[in-house]
Amino acid sequence: MTEQHSHVVVGDDSDRSRYEAHIGDHLAGVLAYYDDEETGERTLRHTVVGEEFGGHGVGSALASFAMQDARDAGRKIVPQCTFVQSWLVKHPQHAELVAHEYRP
């Protein structure tokens, strides 16, 4: 599954348990996740965007893709990543996808 946000192309690298965002031929950012096989929940762990790609919507594209992926799979998410937590505040239409707040 891949999705394009203007010039940012996002896909799921399930072998590495992360979503990847590309701009052109460059890896612009990743959103790492962990799947809990017992609960079926996906914990969104950490978002990293390359310094040269900051301000290009890479983090938002990753978060948006993760929400659509969860929706398509019928999966709930646990937002451990502080970027995703902030993004969800700005996009409350995805609140029903949150299983619960992250608890370490």
Side-chain angles (χ1 to χ4, degrees):
M1 179 169 142
T2 60
E3 186 174 310
Q4 187 168 348
H5 292 262
S6 66
H7 60 289
V8 181
V9 178
V10 182
D12 183 5
D13 184 348
S14 58
D15 291 339
R16 292 182 169 174
S17 298
R18 68 186 195 178
Y19 299 110
E20 295 184 344
H22 290 85
I23 295 179
D25 294 333
H26 302 283
L27 179 63
V30 298
L31 171 51
Y33 60 78
Y34 166 78
D35 289 331
D36 185 325
E37 293 182 24
E38 191 174 303
T39 65
E41 298 168 351
R42 176 164 285 179
T43 298
L44 303 177
R45 301 175 76 167
H46 189 60
T47 302
V48 177
V49 174
E51 187 174 315
E52 65 273 28
F53 300 107
H56 292 275
V58 174
S60 292
L62 286 162
S64 177
F65 185 89
M67 296 309 122
Q68 189 59 52
D69 188 41
R71 191 177 311 285
D72 292 348
R75 177 187 303 121
K76 297 286 188 180
I77 62 106
V78 178
Q80 176 181 3
C81 171
T82 55
F83 175 83
V84 173
Q85 291 170 7
S86 296
W87 187 88
L88 284 166
V89 169
K90 297 174 188 170
H91 299 87
Q93 67 270 27
H94 301 291
E96 78 279 359
L97 296 172
V98 178
H100 54 81
E101 291 183 14
Y102 173 69
R103 297 183 293 268

